[in-house]
Amino acid sequence: MQRTEIARIFENPVAWAEGEIVVCGWVRTLRDSKALAFMQMSDGSSFAPLQVVLEDGKTDDFKTARKWGAGTAVCVTGTLALTPEANQPFELHAARIALEGACDSGYPLQKKRHSVEFLRTIGHLRPRTNLVGAALRVRSAAAFALHSFFGEQGFLYAHTPIITTADAEGAGEMFLVTTLPMDETPRTQEGAPDYAQDFFGKPAHLTVSGQLQGEAMAMAFGKIYTFGPTFRAEDSHTQRHAAEFWMVEPEIAFADLADDMALAEAMLKSVVAQVTQQCPAELAFCAQYVDPGLTERLQGVLRADFARVSYTRAIELLQPFSNDFDYKPVWGCDLQTEHERCLTEKIFARPVFVTDYPKDIKAFYMRQNDDGKTVAAMDLLVPGVGEIIGGSQREERADRLETRLAQMGGDPAAYQWYLDLRRFGGCKHCGFGLGFERLVMYLTGIPNIRDVIAFPRTAGNAAF
Ligand code: 4AD
Ligand code: MG
């Protein structure tokens, strides 16, 4: 008999209440008394488990099966009983239960709440827990939601390279990709590693952003987005930095910074609407055990217009709170997490776009404003997470771009193809990058990036 997934039963219990069905999954918990045992089992198709009732005299192998503990893989054949008055809307009365895979007594996921720190040490097993299970289900739903948003808006889904010879952010925080031997590295006459002998014939790195290639695609297709892994060799030991994370990067032609923010706001609202619809059980779990303010916050995203404030004005607004901060808000310095939180949680109490940052703290490709001091940048800050999106209008004037690149230590020869985009029918354009893990943190209220990515890579850790 074909197996029935638990999610299908939740969709339409009545349809499955006729005749025998087979459900295969893993025991979550088993509570037994003399003649009766209640098993919660999960097959991964739904967040909610299925309750299975085993009964002496009615279930074959009752005496063996009642000993199978958490983690055991089983296939249950039985009939579904609708129980609208009980805690769960139905239960499966087992006629037969077959062992698929026994579970060792050393199984670490027993029925109790484990700390997130402990769960990180069992990365191969923690997707089976409610917390990480909810995070990864929301993650999957959010990915589909993003694709559907951009697909409906007519964006081209572009794939940009993971190995690259361009430093998109000009920040130098890149992982080297090489096949040169580390012990006897071939050297040039000057003593530097001889990349001419390397796999690509020059230094190559894991990408920090698909933006530069994304811009080339936007100059052909008008509206594109990328969605892929990016890598940063930043030695940041925070709750919101990973060395490997996923980024969504739209790029739009004939558009300015206001268009860029409008797109970001519409995208975020659409994702929140879709995920709250598709993952009610996961979000209810997070609201109960992780972040009591979650439901209200997500509803707030749908209701309110996001605030917009210039960086210069933001610094002024932060002044009265100076005594609360470790770092004084000073014009010219990047906003610290504490400043971001104050803006989103106290001053505006909603998501806020901060625009027009000082040019010296932003990347070379951002469009220079007429004041000579700032660039047409925008960061979207959200309560709880801080910066979730970073974007800008791009410098489309070839001479200014080239000058700025050189000022910031870039080699114009290495970026010739990027500068070409300005010579061959360049136009006003802009884009942004959404940190996908930060989005999942925001959607679930989970405060640590290590718990919203199945196998996190952070400074000092690449386990599993
Ligand atoms: O602000 P960032 O560095 O912007 C860019 O990379 C641009 N090229 C994007 C663009 O305009 N196309 O990064 C964008 C977002 C941040 O706002 C943040 O959400 C996330 O990526 N991010 C990280 N997430 C996790 N771990 C890290 N180390 C991150 N660094 C950036
Ligand atoms: Mg940024």
Side-chain angles (χ1 to χ4, degrees):
M1 209 188 316
Q2 230 193 335
R3 81 179 174 103
T4 301
E5 287 180 334
I6 297 172
R8 304 291 83 75
I9 307 178
F10 272 102
E11 279 164 11
N12 189 0
V14 178
W16 297 99
E18 297 267 319
E20 281 197 332
I21 57 172
V22 178
V23 182
C24 302
W26 295 271
V27 178
R28 278 292 186 85
T29 59
L30 194 122
R31 196 157 48 83
D32 85 311
S33 59
K34 230 182 179 140
L36 214 54
F38 293 97
M39 176 191 283
Q40 299 287 329
M41 83 184 263
S42 167
D43 67 1
S45 65
S46 66
F47 183 72
L50 171 70
Q51 166 143 297
V52 181
V53 184
L54 317 178
E55 199 175 338
D56 200 4
K58 290 197 179 156
T59 308
D60 293 356
D61 296 322
F62 172 78
K63 295 203 163 58
T64 345
R66 61 187 280 193
K67 300 272 176 282
W68 296 340
T72 310
V74 296
C75 280
V76 182
T77 307
T79 47
L80 197 73
L82 303 181
T83 53
E85 263 87 68
N87 277 339
Q88 65 291 325
F90 46 77
E91 55 190 27
L92 185 64
H93 289 205
R96 291 177 298 287
I97 175 160
L99 179 67
E100 275 280 322
C103 186
D104 224 76
S105 62
Y107 187 58
L109 291 173
Q110 298 303 332
K111 192 185 172 170
K112 67 167 197 157
R113 266 181 93 182
H114 298 286
S115 71
V116 288
E117 290 79 13
F118 171 71
L119 292 179
R120 283 177 211 142
T121 68
I122 50 166
H124 56 314
L125 300 175
R126 69 174 188 163
R128 306 174 186 196
T129 62
N130 281 332
L131 178 72
V132 177
L136 298 181
R137 282 174 199 287
V138 167
R139 187 178 168 110
S140 169
F144 277 105
L146 284 160
H147 282 303
S148 95
F149 172 80
F150 285 114
E152 275 164 23
Q153 306 257 328
F155 279 67
L156 182 112
Y157 175 26
H159 298 116
T160 48
I162 288 174
I163 299 175
T164 176
T165 52
D167 179 357
E169 291 302 299
E173 291 167 329
M174 300 192 297
F175 290 99
L176 183 67
V177 177
T178 182
T179 53
L180 291 180
M182 300 255 296
D183 35 8
E184 281 173 55
T185 313
R187 305 250 160 211
T188 60
Q189 278 179 347
E190 292 76 39
D194 186 9
Y195 290 107
Q197 296 185 45
D198 202 348
F199 190 90
F200 296 107
K202 52 173 152 175
H205 298 89
L206 293 179
T207 189
V208 295
S209 157
Q211 178 193 323
L212 304 192
Q213 291 91 353
E215 284 184 56
M217 303 284 272
M219 292 301 120
F221 300 103
K223 294 189 292 192
I224 66 98
Y225 72 106
T226 70
F227 189 0
T230 49
F231 307 85
R232 302 224 175 152
E234 324 168 67
D235 197 19
S236 303
H237 299 255
T238 77
Q239 302 216 90
R240 4 174 256 167
H241 287 89
E244 175 178 316
F245 62 98
W246 284 60
M247 213 189 324
V248 179
E249 294 183 278
E251 193 71 33
I252 48 181
F254 306 105
D256 63 14
L257 196 66
D259 300 318
D260 207 25
M261 290 188 280
L263 175 66
E265 182 165 349
M267 176 196 73
L268 204 62
K269 286 183 164 159
S270 166
V271 172
V272 169
Q274 293 181 65
V275 172
T276 41
Q277 218 198 359
Q278 282 163 28
C279 299
E282 290 83 349
L283 296 182
F285 173 86
C286 292
Q288 188 176 353
Y289 294 102
V290 182
D291 178 359
L294 183 64
T295 314
E296 177 51 34
R297 204 178 64 215
L298 294 180
Q299 289 308 316
V301 170
L302 299 178
R303 272 196 313 268
D305 290 337
F306 297 179
R308 286 162 173 72
V309 67
S310 74
Y311 166 91
T312 302
R313 179 76 187 127
I315 293 289
E316 286 169 14
L317 291 171
L318 288 167
Q319 295 305 330
F321 299 89
S322 275
N323 288 338
D324 303 349
F325 298 138
D326 292 334
Y327 296 87
K328 300 283 161 247
V330 190
W331 201 98
C333 297
D334 215 350
L335 296 178
Q336 301 291 323
T337 306
E338 57 186 355
H339 305 146
E340 295 177 351
R341 295 197 67 154
C342 182
L343 284 166
T344 56
E345 291 163 27
K346 286 193 186 142
I347 299 174
F348 291 99
R350 59 197 156 119
V352 49
F353 288 105
V354 178
T355 65
D356 305 294
Y357 283 74
K359 66 175 197 277
D360 291 331
I361 58 171
K362 289 292 183 188
F364 69 93
Y365 52 69
M366 297 191 180
R367 191 177 198 280
Q368 294 160 53
N369 287 330
D370 293 340
D371 62 13
K373 295 189 297 194
T374 60
V375 285
M378 63 91 161
D379 278 2
L380 178 65
L381 314 180
V382 295
V385 177
E387 180 193 337
I388 193 169
I389 286 176
S392 65
Q393 187 170 333
R394 319 305 190 191
E395 183 57 82
E396 81 282 12
R397 297 161 294 189
D399 50 337
R400 294 208 184 203
L401 179 61
E402 189 163 346
T403 312
R404 189 71 190 139
L405 177 64
Q407 271 174 2
M408 296 186 78
D411 170 14
Y415 291 86
Q416 196 51 57
W417 64 271
Y418 183 68
L419 297 167
D420 270 359
L421 297 174
R422 279 68 185 163
R423 293 172 50 221
F424 302 138
C427 70
K428 178 170 74 176
H429 66 289
C430 56
F432 61 80
L434 165 74
F436 186 56
E437 284 72 21
R438 300 219 181 146
L439 171 69
V440 181
M441 291 164 72
Y442 188 55
L443 290 168
T444 57
I446 293 175
N448 197 311
I449 197 164
R450 291 163 183 77
D451 303 323
V452 299
I453 187 164
F455 300 102
R457 274 81 183 87
T458 53
N461 173 57
F464 307 103

